[in-house]
Every structure is written in C-alpha cells, then in structure tokens.
Amino acid sequence: MARYDGDRFTAAYDKVMAKWPADREPLRVPTPFGTTRVNACGPADAPPLVLLPGGGGATSASWYAQAAHLARTRRVLAVDLIGAPGRSAPAADRHPRTVADLAAWLDALLDGLGVTRADFGGHSYGAWIALHYALRAPDRMRRLFLLDPTQCLAGFKAAYLLHALPMLLRPTPARVRAFLEWETGGVAMDPDWLGLQEAAAGFPAARPVTGPRPAPDALRALDTPVLLLVAANSRTHDAYEVARRAGELLPRAETDVVPGVSHHALPQSAPPELARRLSGFLSERPE
C-alpha cells in the first residue's frame, strides 16, 4: 500500500476546490458518526440540493464542473462521505456499518444543516447511497438524479472488477492512474482531478458500507421523481441494461444514456449540456 501523504492530499483537494464558484463556503456539520465536511455555494435561501460523490478519491470536489450552473437555482451542498477520502472527520469509535447507519448519518446531516427536505444527486457509489435513502426517507427527498449509479439496477462487469483489483489490494498513485486510464478509454482527464485521485491512494478510510441492490418491489413503490443518466462508455456495468431495468422498475423515472462519456468521467468531464439537463429536471414542478 502507498504511504499516505496528508499534505499532498490536502493540496490536491484544495486545487480542485479552486475550480468551484468563488462564493463556495466550507461547512462542518457534527453528526453521531463524526464531523461531515460540506462544500456549499449558491443563494442561502434557494432550495437545497445535496450532492453525494462516488467512492474512492472522488470527494465533493468532483462536482466542480456542475456546481456553478446548479448553484444558479439551488443551494448546493456537496458532501464528503464520512469515513472516505475527503475532509470529513469520522468519529474514532463509530462509523457507518449498514445502510440504516448511512440513512441515520444523512438524517443527522440534514438536521445539522437545518434542512427539512432537499433535492439529491449522486454519482456511482453516492448514487447507491442516495437511492437507498430515497427508499428509507422519502419525506426528506423532493427529487433525485442518479449519474451512472453502481449496484442499483445491475451488477459490476467482471472485467471492471478484475482491473480494479490491483488498485484495491495495494493502492498506489500509479495503479489508480492505470485503472482510470483503462476505464475512461484513454480520454484525457483533468490533471488536477486525476492528481486528487492519485493523492487519495492509501487514505486511512473506513471500510465502505456495501450491500445488495435495492429490492425490485421497493423500487416499484418509489414515488420520488428520478432522473437517471447512464454513461454510454461505462466499463462498470452494461449501460443499456441499467437503463432498461430503470424503465421497468422505477415508476417516475426519466432515463437516458449519455453518449461519449465513461463512468469515472462523470460528473466532472461530462458534456456541457449535462448541467442544463440536471437543472431542468430539478426545476420541474411537482405533478
């Protein structure tokens, strides 16, 4: 395992956060599982939008390409997952171990922010967390967008897991880079964002909460409006199978496959129209 360099990680994190709007405000919210870092921007009185990043070294910083546009109409609240790479500080004696714990953490986070009900958006593992929260706390979620969600509607491809295995067993910056270059098909990545992924190698993170995909019957009963956008070039899962199953299981879902982008390129390298698509969905009036 790579020797973790906290100073390098902090510098890489701050370098990506510098791409956020100038009014970005770092918040620290106490919860039973530790203090959660939230990067906020947009009008304080605008409807709240909670953003959950993917796993690994994604962090809240990865929303930089979408933050400014979304903050025009929303109070953006981008979260560093507790116990994962980022600027959150997990409690020494307690961290989330189950999906119920993650829901309790989000409940405490919303309470600490003074938010009763919010829109949510998630990418990858963050989308998995957000979807489970929608099923457990539908009264706290107005709308939900999911960007190439993993383990929600289809499993991982075997090739993806095989390529990820060396990085997972012994994370080093070189292995992180090699894996991301493979998954994105060699498409040029933002060097600052890539630097943050590399700097997260060896981060002293807690074991992430994992579990089965949400039950089909629970998804069929979900009344929350959902926008599900799948990366056409994703090597994580079969994009069209994910879209097909969403159409079958989510009664209020709008689903589309985004061309020319891979799983790990979302949301920071997605086409410019993605931000407009997300804003349009969030601004739709309730039926």
Side-chain angles (χ1 to χ4, degrees):
M1 180 181 294
R3 183 176 179 179
Y4 173 67
D5 185 336
D7 290 339
R8 180 188 178 192
F9 177 82
T10 299
Y13 182 101
D14 290 344
K15 195 170 186 179
V16 179
M17 286 307 312
K19 301 174 185 288
W20 273 60
D23 70 341
R24 192 261 305 179
E25 178 184 3
L27 307 175
R28 292 170 56 82
V29 184
T31 78
F33 299 95
T35 301
T36 301
R37 170 68 169 260
V38 178
N39 287 299
C41 64
D45 59 351
L49 168 62
V50 177
L51 298 178
L52 302 179
T59 81
S60 61
S62 293
W63 294 100
Y64 68 85
Q66 313 299 328
H69 192 96
L70 293 172
R72 294 176 185 175
T73 59
R74 291 292 183 275
R75 176 63 169 173
V76 171
L77 301 165
V79 179
D80 281 351
L81 302 179
I82 199 79
R87 302 290 287 275
S88 291
D93 58 348
R94 187 180 183 190
H95 63 267
R97 298 178 184 275
T98 65
V99 173
D101 286 344
L102 288 174
W105 166 62
L106 286 173
D107 277 338
L109 180 63
L110 292 181
D111 291 344
L113 290 166
V115 171
T116 302
R117 193 165 183 248
D119 296 315
F120 272 74
H123 169 232
S124 188
Y125 177 59
W128 182 83
I129 296 173
L131 182 57
H132 273 290
Y133 191 60
L135 296 172
R136 287 174 174 265
D139 57 321
R140 305 208 72 166
M141 190 174 295
R142 177 180 171 271
R143 287 180 173 271
L144 170 64
F145 69 75
L146 306 172
L147 302 183
D148 214 46
T150 51
Q151 290 294 91
C152 291
L153 296 153
F156 291 111
K157 285 184 176 180
Y160 180 84
L161 296 176
L162 286 172
H163 278 84
L165 192 59
M167 176 188 66
L168 297 174
L169 291 177
R170 187 173 178 270
T172 67
R175 290 184 174 194
V176 169
R177 176 183 286 265
F179 172 71
L180 291 173
E181 287 178 345
W182 169 78
E183 199 284 323
T184 57
V187 175
M189 292 173 277
D190 183 307
D192 296 332
W193 175 83
L194 182 57
L196 177 57
Q197 312 315 302
E198 293 177 330
F203 189 97
R207 182 177 179 179
V209 177
T210 58
R213 298 196 292 272
D217 286 347
L219 293 177
R220 292 188 183 100
L222 182 64
D223 193 47
T224 304
V226 175
L227 173 64
L228 188 145
L229 300 177
V230 191
N233 296 348
S234 177
R235 293 189 173 186
T236 306
H237 43 218
D238 185 326
Y240 293 93
E241 174 66 9
V242 171
R244 183 188 67 79
R245 287 186 60 79
E248 292 177 350
L249 297 175
L250 292 169
R252 300 189 66 187
E254 176 186 349
T255 304
D256 202 358
V257 178
V258 182
V261 66
S262 73
H263 175 80
H264 287 280
L266 283 171
Q268 70 280 348
S269 299
E273 59 268 19
L274 176 65
R276 293 189 290 273
R277 182 80 179 271
L278 299 179
S279 294
F281 167 73
L282 295 172
S283 299
E284 291 176 6
R285 292 187 177 184
E287 295 179 0

